[in-house]
Amino acid sequence: MNLFFFLFSSITVLSCVAVISSRNPVHSVFFLILAFVNSAGIFVLAGAEFLAMILLIVYVGAVAVLFLFVVMMLNIGVDEIKVQAKKYMFSGVLVAFILLLELIFSFSNLDVIYQKSNQDVYKLPNTHEIGNILYTNYFLPFQIAGCILLVAMLGAIILTLRKREGVLRQDISEQVSREKKDSIEIIKIGKK
Amino acid sequence: MEIINFDNLKYFFILVLYVLAIIGPLLIAVAFLTYLERKVIALVQYRKGPNVVGFFGLLQPFADGVKLFSKETIIPASSSKLIFVLAPMISFSLSLIAWSVIPVSENIVLSNINVGILYLFAVSSLSIYGIIMAGWASNSKYAFLGALRSAAQMVSYEVSIGFVIVTVLLCVGSLNLSNIVLAQKNCWFVLPLFPMFVVFVISALAETNRAPFDLPEDESALVAGYFTEYSSMLFAMFFLGEYSAMILMSSLGTILFLGGWLAPFDNEIFNAIPGFIWFFLKVGVLLFIFLWVRATLPRFRYDQLMRLGWKVFLPLSLLWVVLTATFLIFFDLLPNFES
């Protein structure tokens, strides 16, 4: 067990370092994916196989794919990133600092959180356990999180939705319902 | 901390044997699937198909394999070499690791994990990386376009496959693949959930990049799509990966809808036939649908593909999830899981 833990965690840490240090942004995304996959491995070792699979499906299978998609399409040069990075240095450090504070705060209260979630562990498969807790104790936060995501999704759609004139679109029902008499007209030419 | 002792070594050795016992037959099945595909398409088109190498051309896949082995591996000079080589390996190994959780029969499964269906879903959503990496690393416009198409296509159809799986899980109450099969003891899910079965089969075609959704390798527009630059064994790995993914999707369909290893009718004659034979028969039927569709339907256009995924399948499967849940709650049929 220990061997695998050290394997996964060291690869995670190393690939996280590689994410911010590699010169090519596409390579960074690949390292990010490697970090995700290895943290899923750590989840499995911790007995949280449901979380591990969800991490793989959501982050690696969907989020990172779209991320990669965008980064590949943009084709950013290394120099541009260097310039950009300096501009956002302050906000980046700020976010990192806040995250660090949050981590310290939650780790200092770890025993409280641990007791709360540890009540019935191992009596049920942890998928059922998560479902039970999520839809009873944390029902409201769960719904609110869903609403926030919905708003974000609607926002993204509204920002990108535009009607362009003169674009031909296929309308299958129109095509299927088209009949002979709509498109063919027999005209008699000349006199008998 | 003693890592290497005799018990561990023995365990490791047995595990390797199990893995070989899965991979060996799988690769042979893949080889014959390529043969079967050519034969089926030939029959549909009123041709003979491969018939020179061996009886009825049965050794054709091995001849092809030897040919691919003996070819030169060409790595384009302007490619990103490491990723270029890694891509087919990822594609191939992802299509193999999924088999570790497939229950071929009642007790014939390498690892009967609790979240089996999620594992399969995760692996199938990871398989996109082989294609994207190949397309990007090749540094060629055709490969890149193929990879972009594939990324968008697989992400879109994963959504509907996810909802199909949710519908089935509502009726089972467990994420374990063996439990999903056992829940179909009285009635295969294909009967009550037939629309979802249709959605699943079509989405599986899109997920494995098969015709009529083979836009990532659209040979009339993109040369060969994402593996344009590949040759020799690296190409063969993509090829094997694609066919093994087909077999995997068929087994997933068998487990979710066709009752896995269960016999069609619960009587003594049918039960006398071992479960894995039923399993492989059902997988064979689904595989035949894959090949049949390829021989019959023309390729979709890209906008048609996207509309089918997002505007038809997504609302349909969402609606069906809600309907199934409502039905189960209304008639109090929700499955009670045993812990």
Side-chain angles (χ1 to χ4, degrees):
Chain A
M1 244 5 172
N2 266 331
L3 178 72
F4 283 106
F5 174 74
F6 285 121
L7 183 76
F8 285 137
S9 54
S10 55
I11 294 178
T12 310
V13 173
L14 286 179
S15 48
C16 285
V17 172
V19 170
I20 48 175
S21 61
S22 69
R23 297 176 60 82
N24 190 329
V26 177
H27 290 170
S28 296
V29 181
F30 282 135
F31 279 118
L32 185 67
I33 293 159
L34 190 62
F36 280 148
V37 173
N38 281 288
S39 28
I42 295 177
F43 270 128
V44 171
L45 290 187
E49 69 266 14
F50 181 75
L51 281 182
M53 292 305 141
I54 292 298
L55 181 75
L56 280 184
I57 292 168
V58 175
Y59 283 93
V60 185
V63 175
V65 171
L66 297 179
F67 213 63
L68 197 59
F69 202 89
V70 172
V71 172
M72 277 179 175
M73 298 267 268
L74 287 179
N75 202 8
I76 321 165
V78 182
D79 316 331
E80 278 176 60
I81 290 182
K82 288 254 164 80
V83 177
Q84 295 277 322
K86 273 181 193 143
K87 218 163 72 182
Y88 294 115
M89 186 68 109
F90 177 71
S91 44
V93 170
L94 189 70
V95 170
F97 184 67
I98 293 172
L99 272 179
L100 185 68
L101 280 186
E102 281 177 350
L103 273 182
I104 291 171
F105 178 73
S106 46
F107 271 107
S108 58
N109 293 323
L110 196 63
D111 42 342
V112 182
I113 299 170
Y114 198 66
Q115 273 171 7
K116 237 184 186 174
S117 62
N118 213 16
Q119 289 162 353
D120 291 323
V121 176
Y122 301 124
K123 280 185 191 164
L124 293 170
N126 65 38
T127 317
H128 294 142
E129 187 59 29
I130 288 174
N132 275 343
I133 288 187
L134 214 53
Y135 289 99
T136 51
N137 299 6
Y138 296 94
F139 178 72
L140 212 55
F142 184 68
Q143 293 294 324
I144 291 171
C147 287
I148 291 172
L149 286 176
L150 182 69
V151 169
M153 192 175 84
L154 289 178
I157 291 172
I158 287 169
L159 279 178
T160 51
L161 190 71
R162 58 192 172 126
K163 269 258 188 285
R164 280 183 296 173
E165 294 297 319
V167 179
L168 296 173
R169 286 188 199 284
Q170 186 182 19
D171 184 347
I172 289 180
S173 60
E174 197 180 306
Q175 284 183 345
V176 172
S177 62
R178 185 171 145 149
E179 282 175 31
K180 195 174 165 186
K181 66 176 193 308
D182 302 331
S183 42
I184 296 178
E185 193 181 349
I186 296 173
I187 300 172
K188 284 185 179 153
I189 301 175
K191 284 173 188 172
K192 230 193 269 182
Chain B
M1 197 171 74
E2 47 173 357
I3 298 162
I4 298 168
N5 59 23
F6 186 68
D7 277 349
N8 278 354
L9 266 181
K10 202 171 126 191
Y11 175 71
F12 182 73
F13 184 69
I14 291 173
L15 204 62
V16 167
L17 276 185
Y18 275 134
V19 170
L20 287 180
I22 293 174
I23 290 181
L26 177 66
L27 289 182
I28 293 171
V30 166
F32 280 107
L33 181 60
T34 63
Y35 167 79
L36 193 71
E37 175 172 37
R38 295 171 67 178
K39 270 294 194 205
V40 167
I41 292 177
L43 286 173
V44 170
Q45 296 168 347
Y46 212 61
R47 295 184 283 118
K48 272 187 175 170
N51 59 356
V52 176
V53 192
F55 290 109
F56 306 109
L58 268 175
L59 294 176
Q60 186 67 43
F62 300 103
D64 290 342
V66 170
K67 185 199 81 173
L68 282 169
F69 253 119
S70 55
K71 289 225 165 183
E72 182 192 356
T73 307
I74 300 167
I75 298 177
S78 61
S79 65
S80 177
K81 298 201 175 44
L82 181 67
I83 297 181
F84 186 84
V85 176
L86 267 179
M89 294 179 184
I90 287 181
S91 184
F92 180 54
S93 48
L94 277 175
S95 64
L96 291 185
I97 61 167
W99 283 91
S100 54
V101 296
I102 297 276
V104 175
S105 182
E106 180 101 45
N107 289 316
I108 310 179
V109 50
L110 179 61
S111 146
N112 191 10
I113 59 176
N114 271 331
V115 289
I117 188 79
L118 284 180
Y119 175 81
L120 279 184
F121 192 55
V123 169
S124 88
S125 67
L126 287 187
S127 60
I128 187 172
Y129 282 109
I131 293 171
I132 292 194
M133 285 167 82
W136 183 77
S138 300
N139 207 357
S140 136
K141 57 189 165 203
Y142 299 118
F144 189 57
L145 283 172
L148 289 185
R149 282 181 175 189
S150 155
Q153 172 180 333
M154 290 172 88
V155 168
S156 313
Y157 280 86
E158 231 153 59
V159 180
S160 47
I161 287 201
F163 279 119
V164 170
I165 291 176
V166 169
T167 325
V168 172
L169 293 182
L170 278 174
C171 307
V172 178
S174 166
L175 298 178
N176 185 308
L177 289 171
S178 300
N179 288 356
I180 292 176
V181 172
L182 290 175
Q184 302 177 57
K185 199 125 206 168
N186 298 319
C187 173
W188 295 359
F189 287 144
V190 66
L191 297 175
L193 301 174
F194 188 73
M196 285 293 97
F197 179 65
V198 174
V199 170
F200 177 82
V201 170
I202 297 175
S203 303
L205 287 172
E207 190 76 3
T208 47
N209 297 320
R210 292 286 302 176
F213 304 112
D214 52 350
L215 286 148
E217 38 174 301
D218 188 354
E219 75 275 348
S220 52
L222 295 181
V223 189
Y226 60 90
F227 52 67
T228 304
E229 305 293 334
Y230 282 86
S231 59
S232 174
M233 272 323 280
L234 293 178
F235 168 75
M237 276 190 204
F238 272 125
F239 203 67
L240 292 174
E242 186 186 323
Y243 281 83
S244 144
M246 270 168 71
I247 304 181
L248 179 71
M249 272 298 172
S250 306
S251 340
L252 186 58
T254 308
I255 290 166
L256 288 178
F257 290 103
L258 298 182
W261 66 79
L262 298 174
F265 299 101
D266 198 11
N267 63 28
E268 280 182 9
I269 307 166
F270 281 161
N271 283 338
I273 299 170
F276 65 89
I277 290 184
W278 285 119
F279 186 83
F280 291 129
L281 271 178
K282 292 167 184 173
V283 170
V285 169
L286 285 181
L287 279 175
F288 179 73
I289 293 179
F290 270 74
L291 307 181
W292 186 14
V293 165
R294 181 177 169 190
T296 312
L297 294 176
R299 186 175 288 131
F300 265 53
R301 217 172 50 213
Y302 198 68
D303 62 319
Q304 293 171 331
L305 172 90
M306 281 297 156
R307 189 184 42 223
L308 183 68
W310 289 107
K311 293 191 175 170
V312 180
F313 282 179
L314 182 62
L316 181 69
S317 46
L318 249 172
L319 180 75
W320 204 264
V321 169
V322 175
L323 271 182
T324 314
T326 318
F327 182 84
L328 290 174
I329 290 174
F330 190 74
F331 291 102
D332 203 21
L333 290 170
L334 269 182
N336 284 321
F337 52 83
E338 68 286 357
S339 50

